[in-house]
Structures are given as C-alpha cells and as structure tokens.
Amino acid sequence: MELEVGAILDGKVTGITKFGAFVSLPGGRSGLVHISEIAYSFVNDVNELLSVGQDVKVKLIGIDESGRINLSIKQTEPPPARPAGNRPRGQRPPRGGESQNRTPTAYQGYSPRGGSFSQPRSAAKQPQEPQDFDNMLKHFLSESESRQSDLNRGGESRRPRRNRRG
C-alpha cells in the first residue's frame, strides 16, 4: 500500500512515550503522532488521552528523508470554535476611544539631533498610500534609508573626541 501525505488512515496505538505515540498503519508500517499533534488543547501527558491498543484515526502529515512517518490525530477533526472573547496571541484590544487603525502623530516632528520638536510634517511631504506591494516596498526602503542616514549623521557628532599625543 502506497502512503500519501494528507491521507486519513485507521491505525492502532502500539506504544506511548513522553513525546508522543507510535501508531501501526495498514500495510505493516508505523508512524509517530507527536504530542503536539494529539489534540488542539495542551497535552501534558499522552497517557491521559491515549492507551496502547486503542484504535485511532490519523492523518499522514509527512514522510521525512529517513522514511519516518509523521502523523496527526487532531488534524482529522476541525479545530474547536473559539469563544467570542478570545483573540489570537499577541493582539491587543483597542484602547478606549481609539480606533485600531490609528497612526502615531505625537512624535512625527521629533528631531533626534536637536532633541526638540519641530513642526509636524506637512501633508504635501507625506506620500499617498501605496497601492501594491512593490510601491509599499519602495516607500519603505526610501524611508528606511532616509532615517538611517539621519541616524548616522546624528551619531557621528556625539562621539567623544580623544586627543592623542605622539
């Protein structure tokens, strides 16, 4: 029997370790279900969810160059629905009264050399919103080079000068 990545197969748990479970597959082959591929929730101990001899449905998610078969139990079922209050990791809720798409304007006119605030940038100097990826990349690179040159010029004047006597 030829095994294909993405195939869903019936198997039997033949062994359990602290990092996953070994599952025998049709055709005499066996593969590993890593602990992270057992359930969508955190799994502290594989023995809490699986036992030797248990029939399981697995998805073949990969075969490495050594011929080892990587399996997943959790990918055979759709992920659980997220409660309405949960948000993906790393995303903050919007602050009170502020829109999520705000742009920082308080420090736009800050001059790193002088340490004071100058007049905010005029609307004529600000480029229009880039329309595609290439324009966004060009805009980013030009802004980045400009800022880097400002930093380089500002940093040179702050370096202490040493008098060397010969």
Side-chain angles (χ1 to χ4, degrees):
M1 176 182 180
E2 185 65 30
L3 298 175
E4 293 181 26
V5 173
I8 295 179
L9 308 164
D10 291 319
K12 185 175 285 226
V13 177
T14 58
I16 295 178
T17 65
K18 64 182 179 182
F19 56 84
F22 289 96
V23 176
S24 68
L25 301 171
R29 309 265 321 252
S30 66
L32 173 70
V33 179
H34 189 266
I35 192 169
S36 65
E37 291 293 331
I38 292 175
Y40 284 103
S41 60
F42 177 76
V43 177
N44 190 34
D45 183 14
V46 178
N47 291 302
E48 293 175 0
L49 297 174
L50 299 175
S51 59
V52 175
Q54 180 179 352
D55 290 325
V56 291
K57 187 172 289 215
V58 294
K59 180 177 181 180
L60 197 148
I61 57 173
I63 301 174
D64 66 11
E65 57 276 346
S66 303
R68 294 180 292 197
I69 299 171
N70 299 314
L71 304 169
S72 173
I73 294 174
K74 74 178 183 181
Q75 291 185 28
T76 61
E77 300 174 2
R82 235 175 230 228
N86 289 357
R87 62 184 176 276
R89 202 181 247 188
Q91 286 187 356
R92 294 182 184 171
R95 295 179 184 164
E98 296 178 359
S99 71
Q100 224 167 346
N101 296 328
R102 70 181 186 96
T103 56
T105 56
Y107 298 104
Q108 262 183 334
Y110 179 71
S111 170
R113 277 180 253 116
S116 63
F117 288 93
S118 62
Q119 293 297 322
R121 294 179 188 163
S122 67
K125 282 188 175 181
Q126 292 179 345
Q128 292 182 349
E129 288 294 318
Q131 298 298 324
D132 62 353
F133 178 76
D134 291 333
N135 287 338
M136 289 179 4
L137 184 59
K138 287 176 188 174
H139 173 71
F140 170 78
L141 288 174
S142 67
E143 286 289 318
S144 177
E145 289 171 1
S146 172
R147 288 179 182 156
Q148 188 64 42
S149 65
D150 285 348
L151 289 174
N152 288 342
R153 275 186 264 135
E156 291 172 3
S157 64
R158 292 183 185 164
R159 291 185 184 143
R161 294 185 182 182
R162 300 176 78 184
N163 291 334
R164 290 191 175 184
R165 296 182 189 192

